[in-house]
Amino acid sequence: MNQQEQLDTLNDIRNIMNRSSKFISLSGLSGIFAGITALVGAYFAHQAIEKYLAGSYGYGIDADFNIELTLLKIGVTVLLIALLGGIFFTYRQSKKKNLPIWDSTTKKLLINLAIPLASGGFFILALLLNHSHAVALIAPSTLVFYGLALINASKYTYSDIRFLGICEIILGVIAMFNIGLGLYFWALGFGILHILYGTIMYFKYEKN
Amino acid sequence: MKNPIQALNKIFDSRIRLGVMSVLVVNDSVSFNDLKQLLELTDGNLASHLNTLEQAAYIKMHKAFVGRKTNTTYTITELGKQSFKGHLDALEKMIKGI
């Protein structure tokens, strides 16, 4: 046995360990795509809020209800488009790497992502139902719980995700104490950070 | 100086057995089918290597039923972990020594 052979063996071992325990088909492009979608969504939300504050809704329309409905529609649309894009780019990446898209690592990643996200969802729902003035806390809460979800899921994919999670939580905490700037922090966290991170991941793991 | 080749474990001579141990050392429990898919092996080939590892008490087999189908999973034993680590240390020493 020569040295090269030993090195190959060690490389094989590391490869198998990674492939069997981590979901490595995550594509940086899906991050960039989600970031752009979030920025576009934030722009529309900003327009809607401006319109609401200017009081340009006509008679017979409940302005408070209307703005909430508009924001909800924008939020759901952004989520769906970002998810579809994420699935598309991840599917492409797994084909390129010749790895199965649905195996035990996918399941582990999704479950660990979903636990903090679902808790956050219920928390925000309760906040809205019980405290009508807590609307401004929605954006900071989504950032914090999303950050927690990323940190929790980082054990099952590229560990870089952990640092992204920490950044999201820091942004969320700052936003909590700067009520009124929520949308800007939201655009920063979900838009700019995703684009930045997606680009870094793309050049680190895919561009070669 | 002791010859480092002696520290290499005979059982891990096979790349397939080394692969099985690599998967099991980072996962709590892995099913037969997942192992087959990960290592790209046939049933018979994988089964015989798993048998060798089980006889050495490096891994443990667990049989369970999912509906009517049997679901066989494998976990690594403490002895298996130590032996695998020892083997990797020996490999590392050889590479550094040359």
Side-chain angles (χ1 to χ4, degrees):
Chain A
M1 282 227 267
N2 59 32
Q3 192 181 7
Q4 191 53 45
E5 212 171 311
Q6 315 279 6
L7 278 174
D8 284 349
T9 311
L10 280 179
N11 233 346
D12 268 3
I13 292 172
R14 192 165 63 175
N15 213 333
I16 293 171
M17 280 177 169
N18 254 336
R19 215 173 33 175
S20 68
S21 64
K22 285 172 190 266
F23 185 74
I24 51 171
S25 300
L26 204 64
S27 170
L29 291 179
S30 54
I32 299 176
F33 182 78
I36 294 170
T37 316
L39 281 184
V40 173
Y43 173 75
F44 280 115
H46 182 73
Q47 295 288 77
I49 291 171
E50 292 274 281
K51 209 169 139 195
Y52 165 74
L53 290 178
S56 60
Y57 282 100
Y59 286 112
I61 297 171
D62 181 351
D64 283 337
F65 177 70
N66 210 316
I67 180 76
E68 276 177 17
L69 196 67
T70 310
L71 291 180
L72 189 70
K73 270 191 219 157
I74 293 172
V76 171
T77 314
V78 166
L79 184 69
L80 282 182
I81 295 176
L83 264 182
L84 283 179
I87 292 170
F88 170 74
F89 286 116
T90 302
Y91 179 76
R92 225 182 53 157
Q93 183 72 358
S94 73
K95 276 270 161 306
K96 218 191 272 173
K97 287 198 172 178
N98 219 351
L99 291 175
I101 185 150
W102 189 254
D103 63 1
S104 59
T105 62
T106 326
K107 276 178 245 169
K108 274 186 219 157
L109 177 69
L110 288 180
I111 289 171
N112 284 285
L113 205 58
I115 293 170
L117 276 187
S119 326
F122 284 118
F123 173 76
I124 291 168
L125 199 65
L127 204 65
L128 276 179
L129 288 177
N130 296 318
H131 308 278
S132 51
H133 299 298
V135 178
L137 281 175
I138 295 178
S141 309
T142 54
L143 282 169
V144 169
F145 280 103
Y146 180 60
L148 289 173
L150 288 181
I151 291 176
N152 200 36
S154 66
K155 285 170 242 129
Y156 303 100
T157 182
Y158 295 118
S159 51
D160 310 59
I161 295 297
R162 191 182 160 82
F163 189 67
L164 176 63
I166 293 171
C167 293
E168 301 280 3
I169 291 177
I170 292 172
L171 271 183
V173 170
I174 299 173
M176 261 177 223
F177 296 99
N178 290 278
I179 298 291
L181 294 177
L183 189 62
Y184 295 103
F185 279 103
W186 195 88
L188 203 62
F190 284 98
I192 309 286
L193 271 189
H194 271 151
I195 295 174
L196 211 69
Y197 239 77
T199 314
I200 293 172
M201 300 273 288
Y202 181 74
F203 282 105
K204 192 166 168 189
Y205 298 110
E206 292 161 57
K207 192 84 187 151
N208 46 39
Chain B
M1 206 180 108
K2 201 179 109 197
N3 184 357
I5 292 180
Q6 281 168 356
L8 288 179
N9 196 324
K10 267 266 185 293
I11 289 183
F12 298 138
D13 272 355
S14 143
R15 282 216 157 181
I16 295 171
R17 292 199 282 268
L18 208 53
V20 171
M21 295 302 280
S22 310
V23 174
L24 290 180
V25 84
V26 288
N27 289 284
D28 293 341
S29 149
V30 183
S31 74
F32 185 88
N33 286 331
D34 282 347
L35 275 174
K36 200 173 83 178
Q37 196 183 31
L38 272 163
L39 303 169
E40 292 162 355
L41 294 170
T42 59
D43 280 19
N45 199 357
L46 177 59
S48 77
H49 285 293
L50 285 173
N51 210 10
T52 313
L53 287 172
E54 211 190 337
Q55 267 166 20
Y58 286 179
I59 63 172
K60 238 183 160 165
M61 181 178 72
H62 308 267
K63 267 194 177 323
F65 282 92
V66 178
R68 279 189 187 168
K69 273 195 204 157
T70 50
N71 181 33
T72 315
T73 56
Y74 294 87
T75 53
I76 197 166
T77 62
E78 203 44 53
L79 177 68
K81 255 183 217 169
Q82 279 168 15
S83 315
F84 185 65
K85 199 183 164 293
H87 186 76
L88 289 188
D89 288 345
L91 273 180
E92 204 186 352
K93 249 184 216 151
M94 281 181 74
I95 291 169
K96 279 187 183 155
I98 291 170

